[in-house]
């Protein structure tokens, strides 16, 4: 089992490093898209002056950078499995004038920090991809100080996230791809209400809450949507790499038709839905 988890970790690390240039290119649009989720997380955490913060699965730096602005002379550590993503986070943090931060490449299931190290832990949209989510929850609880606060977010179901299913469903329809094994890392792995809340409870956390946050990815056009998704979304790129030119063109045409049918006014703003889960130690 451990060998299988290690294999998943290595595949994920390679994938995120490979796609980090795409995330950097689309960072502005994606961060605007995800801001409502980050705002709700920060509101629940209520960061204070001089607190110590761990931001897990940091990606390009948010919501960690926004949290860092609220802790004054406190300290934040950005962590991620992929060094390529953390390089972007570091660049964004420096641009934002964040003084007291570190970056550390590490695995959430084996955090290189002492017990009871952090006042706050944030993890936006990371849990769905952790190979062993329960181990990750326990490890996060371990490094959280008594009385410390933690928040994470995960996508709700596919029926509320057309921004994923527009391209994903069209690829599957045309290519008949095998469904991933049940429970395998993926976008909607944590979509069941209460799923992460129960995991937090099992990890010994308390005062747990769960709320839904709606958002929208403002692509503007179907072409922009296609370009973004085929430059940041590893599973879709992997699937399309197995298609010949005519099949790829067919899929792109059908995705564009689907988007334009849903947004006939030409203003493509695709809805999304996520759960934000909060707990305390």
């Amino acid at each position: 089992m451990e060998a299988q988890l290690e294999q998943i970790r290595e595949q994920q690390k390679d994938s995120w490093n490979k796609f980090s240039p795409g995330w950097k290119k689309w960072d502005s649009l994606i961060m605007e898209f995800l801001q409502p989720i980050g705002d709700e997380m920060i509101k629940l955490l209520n960061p204070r002056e001089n607190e110590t913060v761990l931001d897990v699965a940091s990606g390009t730096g948010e919501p960690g950078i926004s949290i860092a602005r609220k802790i004054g002379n406190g300290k934040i550590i950005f962590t991620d499995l992929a060094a390529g993503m953390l390089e972007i986070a570091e660049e964004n943090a420096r641009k934002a004038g964040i003084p007291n931060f570190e970056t550390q490449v590490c695995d959430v299931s084996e955090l290189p920090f002492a017990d009871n190290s952090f006042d706050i832990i944030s993890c936006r949209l990371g849990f769905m991809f952790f190979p062993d989510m329960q181990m990750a929850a326990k490890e996060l609880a371990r490094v959280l100080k008594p009385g410390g606060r933690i928040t994470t977010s995960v996508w709700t179901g596919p029926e509320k996230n057309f921004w994923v299913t527009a391209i994903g469903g069209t690829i599957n329809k045309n290519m008949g791809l095998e469904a991933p094994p049940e429970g395998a890392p993926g976008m909607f792995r944590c979509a069941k209400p209460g799923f992460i809340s129960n995991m937090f409870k099992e990890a010994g956390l308390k005062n747990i809450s769960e709320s839904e946050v709606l958002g929208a990815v403002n692509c503007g056009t179907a072409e922009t949507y296609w370009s973004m998704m085929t430059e940041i979304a590893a599973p879709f790129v992997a699937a399309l790499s197995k298609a010949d030119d005519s099949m790829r063109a067919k899929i792109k045409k059908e995705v564009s038709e689907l988007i334009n049918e849903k947004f006939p006014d030409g203003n493509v703003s695709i809805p999304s839905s996520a759960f934000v889960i909060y707990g305390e130690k």
Side-chain angles (χ1 to χ4, degrees), residues 102-132:
E102 289 178 18
T103 61
Q104 178 132 8
V105 176
C106 61
D107 177 4
V108 68
S109 295
E110 298 174 325
L111 293 171
F113 308 113
D115 295 357
N116 309 320
S117 292
F118 299 96
D119 299 293
I120 288 175
I121 297 176
S122 58
C123 175
R124 185 167 73 178
L125 302 170
F127 254 90
M128 306 91 65
F129 303 111
F130 296 156
D132 188 326

PDB file of all heavy atoms in Angstrom, residues 102-132:
ATOM      1  N   GLU A 102       8.440  31.565   4.320  1.00  0.00           N
ATOM      2  CA  GLU A 102       9.360  30.541   3.823  1.00  0.00           C
ATOM      3  C   GLU A 102       8.581  29.664   2.858  1.00  0.00           C
ATOM      4  O   GLU A 102       7.350  29.612   2.909  1.00  0.00           O
ATOM      5  CB  GLU A 102       9.859  29.633   4.961  1.00  0.00           C
ATOM      6  CG  GLU A 102      10.807  30.257   5.926  1.00  0.00           C
ATOM      7  CD  GLU A 102      11.191  29.256   7.029  1.00  0.00           C
ATOM      8  OE1 GLU A 102      10.983  28.030   6.831  1.00  0.00           O
ATOM      9  OE2 GLU A 102      11.683  29.710   8.064  1.00  0.00           O
ATOM     10  N   THR A 103       9.300  28.972   1.989  1.00  0.00           N
ATOM     11  CA  THR A 103       8.674  27.936   1.174  1.00  0.00           C
ATOM     12  C   THR A 103       9.362  26.611   1.469  1.00  0.00           C
ATOM     13  O   THR A 103      10.570  26.584   1.718  1.00  0.00           O
ATOM     14  CB  THR A 103       8.774  28.245  -0.333  1.00  0.00           C
ATOM     15  OG1 THR A 103      10.158  28.317  -0.708  1.00  0.00           O
ATOM     16  CG2 THR A 103       8.089  29.570  -0.670  1.00  0.00           C
ATOM     17  N   GLN A 104       8.604  25.544   1.472  1.00  0.00           N
ATOM     18  CA  GLN A 104       9.179  24.230   1.745  1.00  0.00           C
ATOM     19  C   GLN A 104       8.467  23.166   0.919  1.00  0.00           C
ATOM     20  O   GLN A 104       7.244  23.000   1.020  1.00  0.00           O
ATOM     21  CB  GLN A 104       9.051  23.900   3.234  1.00  0.00           C
ATOM     22  CG  GLN A 104       9.590  22.527   3.561  1.00  0.00           C
ATOM     23  CD  GLN A 104      10.518  22.527   4.768  1.00  0.00           C
ATOM     24  OE1 GLN A 104      10.644  23.520   5.458  1.00  0.00           O
ATOM     25  NE2 GLN A 104      11.179  21.435   5.003  1.00  0.00           N
ATOM     26  N   VAL A 105       9.236  22.473   0.096  1.00  0.00           N
ATOM     27  CA  VAL A 105       8.689  21.334  -0.641  1.00  0.00           C
ATOM     28  C   VAL A 105       8.550  20.170   0.332  1.00  0.00           C
ATOM     29  O   VAL A 105       9.533  19.753   0.951  1.00  0.00           O
ATOM     30  CB  VAL A 105       9.618  20.936  -1.813  1.00  0.00           C
ATOM     31  CG1 VAL A 105       9.077  19.690  -2.512  1.00  0.00           C
ATOM     32  CG2 VAL A 105       9.773  22.081  -2.801  1.00  0.00           C
ATOM     33  N   CYS A 106       7.335  19.681   0.503  1.00  0.00           N
ATOM     34  CA  CYS A 106       7.142  18.529   1.387  1.00  0.00           C
ATOM     35  C   CYS A 106       5.804  17.862   1.111  1.00  0.00           C
ATOM     36  O   CYS A 106       4.944  18.421   0.428  1.00  0.00           O
ATOM     37  CB  CYS A 106       7.247  18.939   2.862  1.00  0.00           C
ATOM     38  SG  CYS A 106       6.030  20.131   3.415  1.00  0.00           S
ATOM     39  N   ASP A 107       5.654  16.670   1.665  1.00  0.00           N
ATOM     40  CA  ASP A 107       4.441  15.871   1.521  1.00  0.00           C
ATOM     41  C   ASP A 107       3.581  16.083   2.759  1.00  0.00           C
ATOM     42  O   ASP A 107       4.068  15.987   3.892  1.00  0.00           O
ATOM     43  CB  ASP A 107       4.854  14.406   1.385  1.00  0.00           C
ATOM     44  CG  ASP A 107       3.674  13.461   1.294  1.00  0.00           C
ATOM     45  OD1 ASP A 107       2.528  13.946   1.260  1.00  0.00           O
ATOM     46  OD2 ASP A 107       3.902  12.238   1.267  1.00  0.00           O
ATOM     47  N   VAL A 108       2.304  16.365   2.553  1.00  0.00           N
ATOM     48  CA  VAL A 108       1.392  16.643   3.671  1.00  0.00           C
ATOM     49  C   VAL A 108       1.291  15.465   4.642  1.00  0.00           C
ATOM     50  O   VAL A 108       0.974  15.651   5.823  1.00  0.00           O
ATOM     51  CB  VAL A 108      -0.004  17.022   3.132  1.00  0.00           C
ATOM     52  CG1 VAL A 108      -0.675  15.836   2.463  1.00  0.00           C
ATOM     53  CG2 VAL A 108      -0.890  17.586   4.231  1.00  0.00           C
ATOM     54  N   SER A 109       1.582  14.265   4.186  1.00  0.00           N
ATOM     55  CA  SER A 109       1.489  13.093   5.062  1.00  0.00           C
ATOM     56  C   SER A 109       2.736  12.897   5.913  1.00  0.00           C
ATOM     57  O   SER A 109       2.758  12.038   6.799  1.00  0.00           O
ATOM     58  CB  SER A 109       1.237  11.826   4.232  1.00  0.00           C
ATOM     59  OG  SER A 109      -0.020  11.916   3.598  1.00  0.00           O
ATOM     60  N   GLU A 110       3.780  13.683   5.648  1.00  0.00           N
ATOM     61  CA  GLU A 110       5.028  13.615   6.424  1.00  0.00           C
ATOM     62  C   GLU A 110       5.580  15.025   6.587  1.00  0.00           C
ATOM     63  O   GLU A 110       6.633  15.353   6.066  1.00  0.00           O
ATOM     64  CB  GLU A 110       6.054  12.717   5.726  1.00  0.00           C
ATOM     65  CG  GLU A 110       5.612  11.278   5.562  1.00  0.00           C
ATOM     66  CD  GLU A 110       6.589  10.435   4.743  1.00  0.00           C
ATOM     67  OE1 GLU A 110       7.195  10.961   3.798  1.00  0.00           O
ATOM     68  OE2 GLU A 110       6.728   9.251   5.066  1.00  0.00           O
ATOM     69  N   LEU A 111       4.878  15.848   7.337  1.00  0.00           N
ATOM     70  CA  LEU A 111       5.279  17.249   7.481  1.00  0.00           C
ATOM     71  C   LEU A 111       6.535  17.365   8.350  1.00  0.00           C
ATOM     72  O   LEU A 111       6.612  16.752   9.422  1.00  0.00           O
ATOM     73  CB  LEU A 111       4.138  18.055   8.111  1.00  0.00           C
ATOM     74  CG  LEU A 111       2.882  18.218   7.245  1.00  0.00           C
ATOM     75  CD1 LEU A 111       1.752  18.830   8.064  1.00  0.00           C
ATOM     76  CD2 LEU A 111       3.172  19.083   6.020  1.00  0.00           C
ATOM     77  N   PRO A 112       7.516  18.159   7.908  1.00  0.00           N
ATOM     78  CA  PRO A 112       8.780  18.270   8.644  1.00  0.00           C
ATOM     79  C   PRO A 112       8.728  19.328   9.740  1.00  0.00           C
ATOM     80  O   PRO A 112       9.628  20.158   9.874  1.00  0.00           O
ATOM     81  CB  PRO A 112       9.767  18.673   7.527  1.00  0.00           C
ATOM     82  CG  PRO A 112       8.930  19.501   6.598  1.00  0.00           C
ATOM     83  CD  PRO A 112       7.539  18.891   6.636  1.00  0.00           C
ATOM     84  N   PHE A 113       7.655  19.311  10.531  1.00  0.00           N
ATOM     85  CA  PHE A 113       7.474  20.309  11.583  1.00  0.00           C
ATOM     86  C   PHE A 113       7.140  19.603  12.899  1.00  0.00           C
ATOM     87  O   PHE A 113       6.549  18.522  12.906  1.00  0.00           O
ATOM     88  CB  PHE A 113       6.341  21.284  11.220  1.00  0.00           C
ATOM     89  CG  PHE A 113       6.475  21.900   9.859  1.00  0.00           C
ATOM     90  CD1 PHE A 113       5.563  21.607   8.850  1.00  0.00           C
ATOM     91  CD2 PHE A 113       7.531  22.753   9.567  1.00  0.00           C
ATOM     92  CE1 PHE A 113       5.681  22.157   7.588  1.00  0.00           C
ATOM     93  CE2 PHE A 113       7.671  23.312   8.300  1.00  0.00           C
ATOM     94  CZ  PHE A 113       6.749  23.012   7.309  1.00  0.00           C
ATOM     95  N   ALA A 114       7.525  20.261  13.998  1.00  0.00           N
ATOM     96  CA  ALA A 114       7.271  19.700  15.327  1.00  0.00           C
ATOM     97  C   ALA A 114       5.781  19.750  15.663  1.00  0.00           C
ATOM     98  O   ALA A 114       5.014  20.523  15.069  1.00  0.00           O
ATOM     99  CB  ALA A 114       8.069  20.490  16.370  1.00  0.00           C
ATOM    100  N   ASP A 115       5.388  18.933  16.619  1.00  0.00           N
ATOM    101  CA  ASP A 115       4.019  18.978  17.126  1.00  0.00           C
ATOM    102  C   ASP A 115       3.698  20.395  17.603  1.00  0.00           C
ATOM    103  O   ASP A 115       4.582  21.109  18.100  1.00  0.00           O
ATOM    104  CB  ASP A 115       3.854  18.028  18.321  1.00  0.00           C
ATOM    105  CG  ASP A 115       4.045  16.567  17.942  1.00  0.00           C
ATOM    106  OD1 ASP A 115       4.241  16.274  16.744  1.00  0.00           O
ATOM    107  OD2 ASP A 115       4.000  15.714  18.861  1.00  0.00           O
ATOM    108  N   ASN A 116       2.437  20.792  17.463  1.00  0.00           N
ATOM    109  CA  ASN A 116       1.953  22.052  18.055  1.00  0.00           C
ATOM    110  C   ASN A 116       2.757  23.272  17.594  1.00  0.00           C
ATOM    111  O   ASN A 116       3.145  24.103  18.405  1.00  0.00           O
ATOM    112  CB  ASN A 116       1.976  21.960  19.590  1.00  0.00           C
ATOM    113  CG  ASN A 116       1.293  20.713  20.109  1.00  0.00           C
ATOM    114  OD1 ASN A 116       0.249  20.310  19.594  1.00  0.00           O
ATOM    115  ND2 ASN A 116       1.877  20.077  21.109  1.00  0.00           N
ATOM    116  N   SER A 117       2.988  23.372  16.271  1.00  0.00           N
ATOM    117  CA  SER A 117       3.834  24.442  15.726  1.00  0.00           C
ATOM    118  C   SER A 117       3.065  25.667  15.230  1.00  0.00           C
ATOM    119  O   SER A 117       3.619  26.762  15.190  1.00  0.00           O
ATOM    120  CB  SER A 117       4.675  23.908  14.556  1.00  0.00           C
ATOM    121  OG  SER A 117       5.629  22.978  15.000  1.00  0.00           O
ATOM    122  N   PHE A 118       1.802  25.496  14.803  1.00  0.00           N
ATOM    123  CA  PHE A 118       1.124  26.566  14.063  1.00  0.00           C
ATOM    124  C   PHE A 118      -0.197  26.988  14.711  1.00  0.00           C
ATOM    125  O   PHE A 118      -0.971  26.163  15.179  1.00  0.00           O
ATOM    126  CB  PHE A 118       0.855  26.113  12.614  1.00  0.00           C
ATOM    127  CG  PHE A 118       2.105  25.790  11.856  1.00  0.00           C
ATOM    128  CD1 PHE A 118       2.562  24.474  11.763  1.00  0.00           C
ATOM    129  CD2 PHE A 118       2.849  26.792  11.249  1.00  0.00           C
ATOM    130  CE1 PHE A 118       3.722  24.173  11.076  1.00  0.00           C
ATOM    131  CE2 PHE A 118       4.015  26.498  10.548  1.00  0.00           C
ATOM    132  CZ  PHE A 118       4.453  25.195  10.476  1.00  0.00           C
ATOM    133  N   ASP A 119      -0.427  28.310  14.678  1.00  0.00           N
ATOM    134  CA  ASP A 119      -1.696  28.862  15.138  1.00  0.00           C
ATOM    135  C   ASP A 119      -2.801  28.625  14.112  1.00  0.00           C
ATOM    136  O   ASP A 119      -3.969  28.467  14.470  1.00  0.00           O
ATOM    137  CB  ASP A 119      -1.571  30.374  15.369  1.00  0.00           C
ATOM    138  CG  ASP A 119      -0.530  30.718  16.427  1.00  0.00           C
ATOM    139  OD1 ASP A 119      -0.766  30.381  17.598  1.00  0.00           O
ATOM    140  OD2 ASP A 119       0.509  31.312  16.066  1.00  0.00           O
ATOM    141  N   ILE A 120      -2.415  28.649  12.847  1.00  0.00           N
ATOM    142  CA  ILE A 120      -3.376  28.562  11.736  1.00  0.00           C
ATOM    143  C   ILE A 120      -2.844  27.604  10.681  1.00  0.00           C
ATOM    144  O   ILE A 120      -1.644  27.622  10.366  1.00  0.00           O
ATOM    145  CB  ILE A 120      -3.583  29.942  11.076  1.00  0.00           C
ATOM    146  CG1 ILE A 120      -4.395  30.865  11.994  1.00  0.00           C
ATOM    147  CG2 ILE A 120      -4.271  29.832   9.716  1.00  0.00           C
ATOM    148  CD1 ILE A 120      -4.515  32.271  11.441  1.00  0.00           C
ATOM    149  N   ILE A 121      -3.726  26.805  10.108  1.00  0.00           N
ATOM    150  CA  ILE A 121      -3.395  26.021   8.912  1.00  0.00           C
ATOM    151  C   ILE A 121      -4.486  26.252   7.865  1.00  0.00           C
ATOM    152  O   ILE A 121      -5.673  26.186   8.168  1.00  0.00           O
ATOM    153  CB  ILE A 121      -3.306  24.511   9.215  1.00  0.00           C
ATOM    154  CG1 ILE A 121      -2.173  24.227  10.208  1.00  0.00           C
ATOM    155  CG2 ILE A 121      -3.076  23.719   7.926  1.00  0.00           C
ATOM    156  CD1 ILE A 121      -2.069  22.768  10.638  1.00  0.00           C
ATOM    157  N   SER A 122      -4.048  26.554   6.643  1.00  0.00           N
ATOM    158  CA  SER A 122      -4.988  26.703   5.524  1.00  0.00           C
ATOM    159  C   SER A 122      -4.591  25.743   4.409  1.00  0.00           C
ATOM    160  O   SER A 122      -3.407  25.485   4.190  1.00  0.00           O
ATOM    161  CB  SER A 122      -4.992  28.143   4.999  1.00  0.00           C
ATOM    162  OG  SER A 122      -3.697  28.533   4.579  1.00  0.00           O
ATOM    163  N   CYS A 123      -5.603  25.230   3.727  1.00  0.00           N
ATOM    164  CA  CYS A 123      -5.348  24.307   2.609  1.00  0.00           C
ATOM    165  C   CYS A 123      -6.494  24.447   1.613  1.00  0.00           C
ATOM    166  O   CYS A 123      -7.538  23.827   1.783  1.00  0.00           O
ATOM    167  CB  CYS A 123      -5.233  22.877   3.117  1.00  0.00           C
ATOM    168  SG  CYS A 123      -5.070  21.658   1.801  1.00  0.00           S
ATOM    169  N   ARG A 124      -6.291  25.270   0.606  1.00  0.00           N
ATOM    170  CA  ARG A 124      -7.363  25.488  -0.362  1.00  0.00           C
ATOM    171  C   ARG A 124      -7.273  24.470  -1.496  1.00  0.00           C
ATOM    172  O   ARG A 124      -6.295  24.431  -2.231  1.00  0.00           O
ATOM    173  CB  ARG A 124      -7.288  26.925  -0.924  1.00  0.00           C
ATOM    174  CG  ARG A 124      -8.455  27.243  -1.850  1.00  0.00           C
ATOM    175  CD  ARG A 124      -8.573  28.716  -2.165  1.00  0.00           C
ATOM    176  NE  ARG A 124      -7.541  29.191  -3.070  1.00  0.00           N
ATOM    177  CZ  ARG A 124      -7.485  30.458  -3.519  1.00  0.00           C
ATOM    178  NH1 ARG A 124      -8.383  31.337  -3.131  1.00  0.00           N
ATOM    179  NH2 ARG A 124      -6.515  30.820  -4.341  1.00  0.00           N
ATOM    180  N   LEU A 125      -8.308  23.638  -1.603  1.00  0.00           N
ATOM    181  CA  LEU A 125      -8.480  22.732  -2.739  1.00  0.00           C
ATOM    182  C   LEU A 125      -7.310  21.760  -2.917  1.00  0.00           C
ATOM    183  O   LEU A 125      -6.861  21.498  -4.024  1.00  0.00           O
ATOM    184  CB  LEU A 125      -8.710  23.551  -4.021  1.00  0.00           C
ATOM    185  CG  LEU A 125      -9.921  24.502  -3.949  1.00  0.00           C
ATOM    186  CD1 LEU A 125      -9.932  25.450  -5.142  1.00  0.00           C
ATOM    187  CD2 LEU A 125     -11.218  23.708  -3.887  1.00  0.00           C
ATOM    188  N   GLY A 126      -6.836  21.235  -1.772  1.00  0.00           N
ATOM    189  CA  GLY A 126      -5.763  20.253  -1.833  1.00  0.00           C
ATOM    190  C   GLY A 126      -6.188  18.848  -1.453  1.00  0.00           C
ATOM    191  O   GLY A 126      -5.668  17.864  -1.989  1.00  0.00           O
ATOM    192  N   PHE A 127      -7.132  18.739  -0.512  1.00  0.00           N
ATOM    193  CA  PHE A 127      -7.459  17.430   0.068  1.00  0.00           C
ATOM    194  C   PHE A 127      -7.844  16.387  -0.966  1.00  0.00           C
ATOM    195  O   PHE A 127      -7.509  15.209  -0.834  1.00  0.00           O
ATOM    196  CB  PHE A 127      -8.587  17.572   1.097  1.00  0.00           C
ATOM    197  CG  PHE A 127      -8.104  17.445   2.515  1.00  0.00           C
ATOM    198  CD1 PHE A 127      -7.685  18.564   3.214  1.00  0.00           C
ATOM    199  CD2 PHE A 127      -8.039  16.216   3.139  1.00  0.00           C
ATOM    200  CE1 PHE A 127      -7.223  18.464   4.512  1.00  0.00           C
ATOM    201  CE2 PHE A 127      -7.585  16.092   4.442  1.00  0.00           C
ATOM    202  CZ  PHE A 127      -7.170  17.221   5.133  1.00  0.00           C
ATOM    203  N   MET A 128      -8.563  16.810  -2.027  1.00  0.00           N
ATOM    204  CA  MET A 128      -9.052  15.835  -3.019  1.00  0.00           C
ATOM    205  C   MET A 128      -7.910  15.043  -3.663  1.00  0.00           C
ATOM    206  O   MET A 128      -8.121  13.963  -4.191  1.00  0.00           O
ATOM    207  CB  MET A 128      -9.811  16.542  -4.153  1.00  0.00           C
ATOM    208  CG  MET A 128     -10.930  17.446  -3.693  1.00  0.00           C
ATOM    209  SD  MET A 128     -10.359  19.141  -3.425  1.00  0.00           S
ATOM    210  CE  MET A 128      -9.902  19.664  -5.060  1.00  0.00           C
ATOM    211  N   PHE A 129      -6.707  15.628  -3.628  1.00  0.00           N
ATOM    212  CA  PHE A 129      -5.581  15.020  -4.344  1.00  0.00           C
ATOM    213  C   PHE A 129      -4.598  14.305  -3.423  1.00  0.00           C
ATOM    214  O   PHE A 129      -3.664  13.670  -3.903  1.00  0.00           O
ATOM    215  CB  PHE A 129      -4.847  16.091  -5.157  1.00  0.00           C
ATOM    216  CG  PHE A 129      -5.751  16.803  -6.129  1.00  0.00           C
ATOM    217  CD1 PHE A 129      -6.092  18.133  -5.937  1.00  0.00           C
ATOM    218  CD2 PHE A 129      -6.286  16.139  -7.216  1.00  0.00           C
ATOM    219  CE1 PHE A 129      -6.943  18.788  -6.821  1.00  0.00           C
ATOM    220  CE2 PHE A 129      -7.141  16.784  -8.103  1.00  0.00           C
ATOM    221  CZ  PHE A 129      -7.466  18.114  -7.899  1.00  0.00           C
ATOM    222  N   PHE A 130      -4.795  14.402  -2.098  1.00  0.00           N
ATOM    223  CA  PHE A 130      -3.871  13.728  -1.181  1.00  0.00           C
ATOM    224  C   PHE A 130      -4.068  12.218  -1.282  1.00  0.00           C
ATOM    225  O   PHE A 130      -5.196  11.730  -1.147  1.00  0.00           O
ATOM    226  CB  PHE A 130      -4.108  14.180   0.259  1.00  0.00           C
ATOM    227  CG  PHE A 130      -3.836  15.647   0.499  1.00  0.00           C
ATOM    228  CD1 PHE A 130      -4.450  16.321   1.545  1.00  0.00           C
ATOM    229  CD2 PHE A 130      -2.955  16.351  -0.313  1.00  0.00           C
ATOM    230  CE1 PHE A 130      -4.206  17.665   1.781  1.00  0.00           C
ATOM    231  CE2 PHE A 130      -2.706  17.707  -0.090  1.00  0.00           C
ATOM    232  CZ  PHE A 130      -3.335  18.352   0.960  1.00  0.00           C
ATOM    233  N   PRO A 131      -3.002  11.444  -1.495  1.00  0.00           N
ATOM    234  CA  PRO A 131      -3.152   9.991  -1.629  1.00  0.00           C
ATOM    235  C   PRO A 131      -3.834   9.356  -0.417  1.00  0.00           C
ATOM    236  O   PRO A 131      -4.699   8.512  -0.562  1.00  0.00           O
ATOM    237  CB  PRO A 131      -1.710   9.504  -1.789  1.00  0.00           C
ATOM    238  CG  PRO A 131      -0.991  10.664  -2.396  1.00  0.00           C
ATOM    239  CD  PRO A 131      -1.622  11.885  -1.793  1.00  0.00           C
ATOM    240  N   ASP A 132      -3.438   9.782   0.800  1.00  0.00           N
ATOM    241  CA  ASP A 132      -4.051   9.257   2.019  1.00  0.00           C
ATOM    242  C   ASP A 132      -4.609  10.449   2.805  1.00  0.00           C
ATOM    243  O   ASP A 132      -3.888  11.110   3.547  1.00  0.00           O
ATOM    244  CB  ASP A 132      -3.021   8.483   2.849  1.00  0.00           C
ATOM    245  CG  ASP A 132      -3.657   7.747   4.027  1.00  0.00           C
ATOM    246  OD1 ASP A 132      -4.632   8.265   4.599  1.00  0.00           O
ATOM    247  OD2 ASP A 132      -3.164   6.651   4.372  1.00  0.00           O
TER     248      ASP A 132
END
